[in-house]
Amino acid sequence: MAKEKQIAVAKAKQKNKIEYSNKSVLALKVFQYMLLSTVLLSLIGFSFQVDYIFIIGTVVIGLILTLPIAMAINKKNYEYFRFQNLSAYMEHLVLNYSDAPTVVFAMTESAKVLTDKKLKDLVIDACKMIKEGNASDEEGTYTKAFKSIEKYYSCEILKQIHRTLEQLEFSDVDSSFSLSMALSEVHNWNERMRTNS
């Protein structure tokens, strides 16, 4: 499991190099699309010696048409960014739990690889809630802690991973089989999502 964790961390770092989540970068992309369309339409207008009013009208129409395209591209990139973070979170959650079998440790370590600030904050808040609450199965501390993360990412596999780790923490059984099954589920889900997108 330690080797798998090292490989997963290396993959996450590589993904983070090419991934962006900064809103200013997204705004810059939209601006670039708009600027490019404006320049192209202006050049076409000048080369055909079209009236200025027609060029301005064409540029405005070009900008109006370019904006939804740029926004759709940015939305797709953002969804992919969220998918990568969710995938990294679940994978690291299982791998970190195998290193030290406590949910708080696994979540704390998993938060370190996340680039989605909101998800990272939710994971850190969930860890605090578990530490401060009476961490017993009957009290529902874990369920409450996981709820905000599961609301942010409405995903059945995420709920299954959380419940599996919660059950393992309160049982004395050997967790290696359950963890390898959970990791396999995460990898299969990841592959299905990539294929279907």
Side-chain angles (χ1 to χ4, degrees):
M1 283 284 191
K3 188 175 181 182
E4 286 181 353
K5 183 179 174 187
Q6 289 173 344
I7 292 169
V9 169
K11 282 182 183 176
K13 285 181 180 175
Q14 183 65 26
K15 285 178 188 176
N16 291 343
K17 286 179 186 174
I18 57 171
E19 195 56 62
Y20 61 84
S21 62
N22 192 338
K23 288 183 181 175
S24 63
V25 175
L26 296 176
L28 181 64
K29 282 281 186 194
V30 171
F31 178 73
Q32 286 173 344
Y33 286 122
M34 293 174 73
L35 184 64
L36 182 65
S37 67
T38 303
V39 169
L40 285 175
L41 289 170
S42 298
L43 288 174
I44 291 168
F46 284 125
S47 64
F48 289 108
Q49 298 178 351
V50 180
D51 190 20
Y52 285 110
I53 294 174
F54 181 76
I55 293 173
I56 291 169
T58 309
V59 167
V60 169
I61 291 169
L63 291 175
I64 291 169
L65 293 175
T66 304
L67 191 59
I69 294 168
M71 289 171 67
I73 290 169
N74 285 329
K75 185 178 179 188
K76 183 180 175 187
N77 288 340
Y78 176 70
E79 291 301 322
Y80 184 66
F81 166 74
R82 286 191 57 181
F83 161 72
Q84 281 189 320
N85 271 272
L86 176 60
S87 181
Y89 169 69
M90 291 191 298
E91 188 174 4
H92 282 84
L93 200 56
V94 174
L95 293 171
N96 289 319
Y97 190 88
S98 66
D99 287 348
T102 64
V103 172
V104 173
F105 172 80
M107 290 177 76
T108 304
E109 290 299 306
S110 298
K112 293 177 182 176
V113 299
L114 299 176
T115 55
D116 184 341
K117 187 177 180 334
K118 176 148 179 148
L119 177 59
K120 193 173 203 166
D121 291 343
L122 289 171
V123 171
I124 291 167
D125 290 344
C127 290
K128 285 179 191 170
M129 192 181 294
I130 292 170
K131 285 179 189 173
E132 292 169 0
N134 181 7
S136 69
D137 204 14
E138 297 79 40
E139 296 290 324
T141 306
Y142 284 78
T143 305
K144 279 189 254 178
F146 294 144
K147 193 177 279 184
S148 58
I149 300 168
E150 292 167 359
K151 188 176 178 184
Y152 184 62
Y153 282 113
S154 182
C155 175
E156 283 304 311
I157 189 85
L158 175 63
K159 292 176 184 176
Q160 289 174 10
I161 298 292
H162 282 158
R163 299 301 162 260
T164 300
L165 296 184
E166 181 182 354
Q167 289 168 359
L168 287 173
E169 187 157 321
F170 290 103
S171 67
D172 295 331
V173 297
D174 181 27
S175 62
S176 57
F177 178 72
S178 297
L179 291 174
S180 62
M181 289 294 290
L183 191 60
S184 176
E185 279 291 316
V186 171
H187 289 158
N188 290 339
W189 173 82
N190 198 333
E191 204 55 46
R192 282 195 310 271
M193 292 296 286
R194 286 179 189 279
T195 305
N196 295 333
S197 64

